[in-house]
Amino acid sequence: MYIRKNIADFLEKMPKEMKMPKNWKTFVKKYDIEYNLLIKHGKECECTNCGKYFYSEQVEGKGCWDICPFCNNQYDVRRSNLKNYFFLYDLAIIDNVDNKLILRYFEVYRKYDYKTRRFKDDIVEYARIVPELDIEIVNDRFIKYLSFERVYHTKKIKRWRIFTGMYGLGQYYKAIYLDNIYEKTKGTIYQYAPIKEAIEYLDNKKVDLLKLLEKAKYPSFELLMKAGLYKLALNCPEKFNQKGSFEKRFGLPKEYYKFMKKHDVSEKELCVLKLIKRKNINIINKLLKISNENIEDLEKVSRIINLIKLKDYSKKQQGFSVQNYLDYIRNLEKLNVPLTNKILLPENFTEAHDISIEKVEIVNNKLINKKIKQRYKQLSKNIYSDNTFFIRPAKNLKDMEDESKQQINCVYKNYSEDYAYGNTDIYFLRNINKPEKSLVTVEVNKNKIRQKYQKKNTKITKEQDIFLKIWEKNIIQKVA
Ligand SMILES: [Zn+2]
């Protein structure tokens, strides 16, 4: 309720129409320049920007452009009988109402006048944003239906209303008017934040002002901007709010400041700098590149090997990445291989990496094989036979593999590990007279047959089914 009243009060104080700043016309003119055409009569082109004539071989049409040799701008070439043509674009102004900063949106409707062969602007205000109150306000000119937005230049402002669209208003403006920004931010919570410098740093090109203001709220924003660490100021000032010495704030001694400023370091570049403590931007970027900009992985790997050594090493290794390298190290650790220099930097990384995978697989398989043998012993009590069939647990890894080959199923690949670790039980049903030949692969889970298949996962015979039912009832479930 409080906020509602807050907003209502603000809307009451806000004037329907507000003054335009002093240099507004000059400002618009600057952005108008790119919205022009070359009007072609015969082979002669007239530039709607500078009014000069020149010869052009270019054909007329959308996407067919030429460069005016007088103003040096590139424009589309159109036929001289062109009647209706217009451009639309947005500009913004920062203003102040009741000591709150507001962002005013304007649409420039730039229409071609075929009599004078020049463009004329019609500019209207259609929206205002008040970041502090987190509201967007629109007037009678603004229409939105689903994703369709339009500004009617013919309508007068009768009233402003809160915009409640699902995704909010798009920030389409090309640029923000900055000439009077100090005057306008005076008295607002952004009074001391160097917003103008930040917008100019971003070239005043489609700047996301709301995001910028969000960052400008942190006390460190001002400090970082003034220190010339623009990237840190604009992207993550919240990470440098720690008061006290330079080292406390940045995690590096003050002697690194000159370097940080010179390269306007990003957050990630700063992280790498902290890791290697070397003032060399090329090394930093190379390390970011080989780690896919993953700082956590770089930290991990730095505990194992000097990063600069690794960077030099990576130069000679094809397909090297920090992630692949960490896989390699993890394999070595599994194999209990001591991490000597030679092991850490093998001559051919890809080869060493692949061998380590194979070795781990062998070690894994040895362990699995050992466990399956134990499981066979445990489950031997469930061995059962009648005059035709017998059933027994899988004996070892080789036994599993053999069954898979004969039956053309996935029992070896997909069930060996689960069987080894006791998550499921695997049995083979076979004919008494042909004990080596696979017949039915059976999976038992929680004392119940879960799967039973002949070769290529086909259904089992009636006799086999009767045998299995007796086995399940009298052996499996009785023992349990
Ligand atoms: Zn021109």
Side-chain angles (χ1 to χ4, degrees), residues 358-369:
E358 273 168 34
K359 281 189 178 160
V360 166
E361 216 164 85
I362 291 167
V363 170
N364 262 349
N365 282 352
K366 264 190 191 159
L367 185 66
I368 287 173
N369 194 35

Side-chain angles (χ1 to χ4, degrees), residues 130-301:
V130 192
E132 246 179 279
L133 297 175
D134 195 21
I135 49 166
E136 300 178 320
I137 323 165
V138 292
N139 62 33
D140 311 82
R141 290 167 180 151
F142 182 79
I143 298 290
K144 179 157 186 166
Y145 180 71
L146 297 175
S147 65
F148 167 84
E149 280 183 15
R150 205 174 150 182
V151 175
Y152 288 93
H153 284 244
T154 47
K155 291 199 177 166
K156 279 219 147 58
I157 305 176
K158 281 188 201 147
R159 70 181 197 100
W160 290 87
R161 62 184 162 87
I162 303 275
F163 177 66
T164 50
M166 203 191 297
Y167 299 108
L169 286 171
Q171 295 185 58
Y172 301 123
Y173 50 84
K174 282 182 78 70
I176 304 169
Y177 183 83
L178 293 176
D179 287 7
N180 57 356
I181 189 163
Y182 295 121
E183 180 197 320
K184 294 299 182 185
T185 50
K186 208 171 165 189
T188 71
I189 56 168
Y190 305 104
Q191 183 167 346
Y192 300 107
I195 293 170
K196 183 175 187 241
E197 290 75 0
I199 296 172
E200 278 170 349
Y201 172 80
L202 297 168
D203 269 343
N204 197 0
K205 268 187 198 152
K206 298 182 177 169
V207 173
D208 185 342
L209 187 75
L210 300 184
K211 185 184 154 205
L212 195 156
L213 293 178
E214 206 42 59
K215 300 293 180 189
K217 278 184 192 162
Y218 294 96
S220 54
F221 178 79
E222 190 188 347
L223 180 137
L224 291 164
M225 282 297 298
K226 284 184 175 156
L229 300 168
Y230 304 111
K231 283 183 190 154
L232 300 181
L234 289 162
N235 294 310
C236 52
E238 64 276 9
K239 294 191 176 153
F240 304 95
N241 261 331
Q242 182 70 39
K243 280 191 183 138
S245 65
F246 183 92
E247 189 156 5
K248 239 184 175 174
R249 201 182 281 270
F250 294 103
L252 278 169
K254 184 112 196 237
E255 57 175 285
Y256 288 90
Y257 170 59
K258 228 176 116 187
F259 173 81
M260 286 162 62
K261 186 184 169 187
K262 185 182 169 198
H263 297 283
D264 184 11
V265 290
S266 67
E267 189 192 359
K268 284 184 175 174
E269 286 165 350
L270 180 64
C271 287
V272 182
L273 179 64
K274 278 195 246 177
L275 285 174
I276 63 170
K277 304 236 165 38
R278 273 274 287 273
K279 296 172 203 164
N280 184 322
I281 200 75
N282 292 330
I283 295 180
I284 291 173
N285 285 323
K286 178 79 194 183
L287 282 167
L288 282 171
K289 200 178 158 198
I290 61 171
S291 63
N292 299 314
E293 304 212 347
N294 190 319
I295 301 296
E296 243 174 66
D297 284 349
L298 271 179
E299 269 169 15
K300 264 187 222 160
V301 90

Side-chain angles (χ1 to χ4, degrees), residues 51 102 161 213 289 304 322 331 354 373 403 406 457:
I102 69 168
R161 62 184 162 87
L213 293 178
K289 200 178 158 198
I304 297 156
V322 165
N331 288 342
D354 293 352
K373 279 181 184 167
E403 176 84 356
Q406 288 197 53
N457 292 339

